[in-house]
Amino acid sequence: MFPLGVVLFPHSKLPLYIFEPRYKLMINECLNNETVFGINFISENKMHNIGCTASVDKVVNTSDTGEMNIITKGMRRYDLTGYEMNPNGYYQGEIKFLDDFNTDFDKLKMEKAVETYNELVETVYKGKVEKIDLTDIKWCGGKRSMCFLMAEKCGLDLNERQNLLEKDTEDKRLDIILKYFEDVVPKIMEADKITNIIKGDGYIQ
């Protein structure tokens, strides 16, 4: 387990810098054994139970002393039911995988959310972030959550992202996204807000 001040979503990619000896060991064990590790959001000394498993998608570089820059990819949501410190100094936990109901949503609500999101990323990122195409085949079958994808780049704070991660259905996530858009989009042309969104997303597309 890797408690961090970030929220990882299934299919999201996040860069991490690994420098602590215990986590260098953990990541190397994952690489050698082709296993995953868990990321749980920690804030104000509280570790949230709902997290996401992560695989090492790419090792960008490694220093002579073992520090490394890696890119992680989110896999599956889980509920952390118990954990303890292992002899190597990092946490090990027991988890229960959670089901995602990514096709359970109101179509009109989704169309509204995607339209607003596409306008937002065009304004903020000027074409550097890909818009969502609802007709794209990758959205068929419900393997991915469009709400999780929107959450990467729309400026949600960490607690809002964690709240989204904890929701099982796409419709409940949509309610969060739409409420956020309702509050934020009227202010989106403010230069400082745009800068904060760009600085705060952290995810790789």
Side-chain angles (χ1 to χ4, degrees), residues 106-190:
D106 182 287
K107 184 178 179 181
L108 291 178
K109 284 165 60 175
M110 181 62 78
E111 289 174 352
K112 180 181 178 181
V114 168
E115 180 182 2
T116 306
Y117 170 81
N118 286 343
E119 291 174 356
L120 186 151
V121 296
E122 179 61 32
T123 299
V124 173
Y125 295 98
K126 309 296 184 184
K128 294 180 181 178
V129 168
E130 184 178 351
K131 296 179 181 180
I132 293 176
D133 179 1
L134 285 170
T135 66
D136 193 317
I137 193 171
K138 70 183 175 184
W139 302 118
C140 297
K143 290 184 178 180
R144 291 197 65 176
S145 161
M146 281 182 274
C147 288
F148 288 157
L149 179 60
M150 287 188 276
E152 295 179 20
K153 297 294 182 181
C154 71
L156 292 169
D157 67 31
L158 286 167
N159 287 309
E160 289 168 329
R161 295 177 204 178
Q162 178 64 30
N163 186 27
L164 199 75
L165 182 69
E166 293 178 2
K167 298 297 182 284
D168 294 325
T169 70
E170 194 77 332
D171 206 65
K172 290 179 181 178
R173 299 172 198 143
L174 264 177
D175 288 338
I176 296 171
I177 291 287
L178 285 169
K179 178 64 169 60
Y180 171 78
F181 285 162
E182 181 182 324
D183 294 340
V184 167
V185 170
K187 307 174 184 177
I188 203 62
M189 294 308 294
E190 298 175 16

Side-chain angles (χ1 to χ4, degrees), residues 4 24 28 44 49 58 68 75 83 91 126 154 191:
L4 286 170
K24 289 191 287 187
N28 278 308
E44 299 179 352
N49 289 339
K58 181 180 180 181
M68 65 186 91
M75 306 298 286
Y83 63 92
Y91 289 113
K126 309 296 184 184
C154 71

Side-chain angles (χ1 to χ4, degrees), residues 3 12-13 32 37 41 54 56 66 73 85 91 114 122 155 178 200:
S12 293
K13 291 185 178 182
N32 292 334
F37 60 98
F41 175 49
V56 180
K73 181 178 180 179
M85 186 76 72
Y91 289 113
V114 168
E122 179 61 32
L178 285 169

Side-chain angles (χ1 to χ4, degrees), residues 37-144:
F37 60 98
I39 291 181
N40 287 74
F41 175 49
I42 186 168
S43 63
E44 299 179 352
N45 295 318
K46 174 190 175 182
M47 184 157 62
H48 294 263
N49 289 339
I50 307 301
C52 184
T53 55
S55 65
V56 180
D57 192 61
K58 181 180 180 181
V59 177
V60 179
N61 54 57
T62 305
S63 72
D64 292 338
T65 52
E67 291 79 16
M68 65 186 91
N69 286 290
I70 64 173
I71 295 173
T72 61
K73 181 178 180 179
M75 306 298 286
R76 292 186 64 184
R77 297 185 314 121
Y78 62 79
D79 184 7
L80 181 65
T81 58
Y83 63 92
E84 62 182 7
M85 186 76 72
N86 77 4
N88 292 320
Y90 57 82
Y91 289 113
Q92 286 183 315
E94 296 180 358
I95 64 171
K96 176 184 177 182
F97 282 114
L98 300 173
D99 292 325
D100 281 314
F101 301 97
N102 294 332
T103 57
D104 182 7
F105 60 84
D106 182 287
K107 184 178 179 181
L108 291 178
K109 284 165 60 175
M110 181 62 78
E111 289 174 352
K112 180 181 178 181
V114 168
E115 180 182 2
T116 306
Y117 170 81
N118 286 343
E119 291 174 356
L120 186 151
V121 296
E122 179 61 32
T123 299
V124 173
Y125 295 98
K126 309 296 184 184
K128 294 180 181 178
V129 168
E130 184 178 351
K131 296 179 181 180
I132 293 176
D133 179 1
L134 285 170
T135 66
D136 193 317
I137 193 171
K138 70 183 175 184
W139 302 118
C140 297
K143 290 184 178 180
R144 291 197 65 176

